[in-house]
Amino acid sequence: MKKEMFFEEKLAQIDSILKECDFSERILLWGGGKHTCELMRYSIIVKFKNLIIADKMNCQKRFFWNVVNVSDVDFGNIDTVVISSLIYQQEIEEELKNMRFDGKIIKFYNKEDTKEFYRLNCKYKRCNFFEGDFLTIEAAKAHCTNTEDKELYERSYQSVCAVLNGYAAYELDTMPVFTKKISFHLMAWIALAASGKTEVTVADFGGALASTYLQNKDFICEIPAKVTWYIIEQPQYVKRGNEIFTDKYLKFKNSFDEISDQIDVILFSGVLMYPANLEEIINKAIQREPKYIIVDRTYIGKRSSTPSGQFLEYCRV
């Protein structure tokens, strides 16, 4: 009997199959149900810009993408069909053969598979807890996967691709979010800072690949003043951010020192728990004399100031 794969293993297999395609190919994703929703949430399918989602029955707008009817698709303009279904995989493949589709057909499942990838057991369990105290920052890092980890960075980039390609609303903690949700408590302070001004400058420290900016862009664009949004991040985020974003009011920098503009608002959202040089960062923020310093999504407790390890990733079951 074939041993059942874990979710992470099957997802890696799916991504490996998709990587065989060129990201410029014209892709038809056949299936408009839950399988496609989960595929968009977890796999690299969101990196494909020329993606059409089609189905026979679920032809409706789902989150940020439209599902067209298969009968309306010109298969002569399709390079590859990705079958997004386990139950109907064979049926869809037969239909493609009957219509003499001569492009590539991608399937994710074998005859032995009985569960969709998202229904498989996880090898690792999602968790979020603190452990410590540790004597030094280095000791804490040794027990954690830190934010410089390549896997976290790539997952964050993949989720941002989902946003830029129109499949998701924004990225949060490396995962795509498919429903819009404005952070009104933050935007109220941005709007207040912009009151009576023609320009306002925000420095978003640790803003990843524009998580907060993308989440609230619709609101930001409605502020009468011109809002310039700087993100201060690690070098790999700065490099990638400046490459993939074309918004002239969104800029990525390595430090406060690289921002020559007067900063009106400094935002620390879910970041102050992590830097080893926390005091230095706060002092630099104060030295810039912004109108407001906003601290959001930050753990505060009565523990001592000795380092702890926060486990945001997966712990073995």
Side-chain angles (χ1 to χ4, degrees):
M1 183 177 177
K2 181 183 176 182
K3 183 180 177 181
E4 185 175 272
M5 300 179 76
F6 285 110
F7 165 79
E8 295 87 352
E9 295 170 338
K10 186 62 181 179
L11 180 60
Q13 185 184 82
I14 288 172
D15 282 345
S16 178
I17 294 170
L18 290 172
K19 284 177 182 177
E20 295 178 5
C21 300
D22 191 295
F23 287 115
S24 63
E25 286 184 25
R26 295 165 296 183
I27 306 288
L28 174 72
L29 184 61
W30 190 320
K34 182 174 176 59
H35 191 282
T36 290
C37 291
E38 299 303 313
L39 203 62
M40 299 289 275
R41 187 183 304 276
Y42 292 106
S43 81
I44 65 169
I45 193 78
V46 294
K47 290 187 177 181
F48 291 92
K49 295 182 179 180
N50 301 318
L51 185 67
I52 298 172
I53 303 174
D55 203 335
K56 285 187 173 181
M57 299 178 63
N58 295 313
C59 300
Q60 58 186 347
K61 187 174 180 66
R62 294 183 65 85
F63 299 114
F64 274 72
W65 58 87
N66 291 309
V67 182
V68 302
N69 196 294
V70 170
S71 61
D72 296 329
V73 176
D74 180 3
F75 282 87
N77 289 323
I78 300 298
D79 298 311
T80 301
V81 173
V82 177
I83 301 177
S84 181
S85 176
L86 168 61
I87 299 174
Y88 299 109
Q89 178 175 271
Q90 187 174 349
E91 180 181 323
I92 294 171
E93 183 180 19
E94 288 298 323
E95 189 164 346
L96 286 167
K97 289 178 179 178
N98 290 337
M99 67 173 64
R100 296 182 179 179
F101 174 66
D102 59 0
K104 188 191 306 180
I105 300 174
I106 289 181
K107 302 179 295 181
F108 298 131
Y109 301 102
N110 300 315
K111 291 181 180 179
E112 299 85 1
D113 292 323
T114 59
K115 290 183 181 179
E116 292 86 352
F117 77 96
Y118 55 86
R119 292 176 57 220
L120 296 171
N121 292 326
C122 289
K123 189 175 184 179
Y124 301 97
K125 185 179 179 181
R126 185 74 178 178
C127 55
N128 184 359
F129 63 92
F130 286 86
E131 187 175 285
D133 296 332
F134 294 97
L135 293 177
T136 64
I137 291 290
E138 289 70 26
K141 280 186 175 182
H143 284 75
C144 304
T145 298
N146 62 59
T147 54
E148 297 171 0
D149 185 83
K150 185 179 179 181
E151 182 182 345
L152 293 179
Y153 166 69
E154 287 299 331
R155 195 156 67 231
S156 177
Y157 171 58
Q158 178 175 304
S159 297
V160 169
C161 285
V163 179
L164 297 181
N165 291 336
Y167 308 132
Y170 59 98
E171 172 267 339
L172 180 65
D173 295 334
T174 76
M175 296 298 293
V177 179
F178 297 115
T179 53
K180 288 186 177 181
K181 184 180 180 181
I182 302 295
S183 295
F184 288 107
H185 64 290
L186 292 182
M187 293 302 103
W189 289 102
I190 306 295
L192 187 61
S195 179
K197 301 183 66 173
T198 57
E199 297 182 8
V200 64
T201 300
V202 178
D204 182 359
F205 188 92
L209 288 172
S211 299
T212 301
Y213 180 82
L214 292 174
Q215 178 183 355
N216 300 284
K217 187 175 180 181
D218 289 349
F219 187 100
I220 293 169
C221 290
E222 293 299 318
I223 295 176
K226 182 186 79 174
V227 179
T228 301
W229 196 284
Y230 288 97
I231 290 176
I232 301 171
E233 258 296 353
Q234 299 172 66
Q236 67 268 34
Y237 285 87
V238 173
K239 183 177 183 297
R240 182 62 65 87
N242 286 323
E243 288 174 352
I244 64 176
F245 287 101
T246 57
D247 190 331
K248 65 179 181 179
Y249 297 122
L250 176 63
K251 304 175 183 181
F252 291 78
K253 301 293 181 181
N254 291 285
S255 68
F256 286 117
D257 296 334
E258 294 183 9
I259 302 174
S260 58
D261 299 342
Q262 169 60 42
I263 301 174
D264 299 292
V265 179
I266 292 178
L267 173 62
F268 294 106
S269 181
V271 68
L272 287 181
M273 304 85 75
Y274 309 114
N277 58 334
L278 177 60
E279 188 173 340
E280 177 186 343
I281 291 168
I282 293 177
N283 285 336
K284 283 196 173 185
I286 294 171
Q287 288 169 10
R288 295 305 300 258
E289 299 183 346
K291 190 170 184 179
Y292 302 113
I293 295 178
I294 303 173
V295 179
D296 188 38
R297 299 176 62 233
T298 301
Y299 289 99
I300 298 175
K302 297 180 180 180
R303 294 168 58 86
S304 66
S305 59
T306 53
S308 298
Q310 182 185 7
F311 292 80
L312 286 173
E313 278 310 287
Y314 298 91
C315 61
R316 188 174 299 278
V317 174

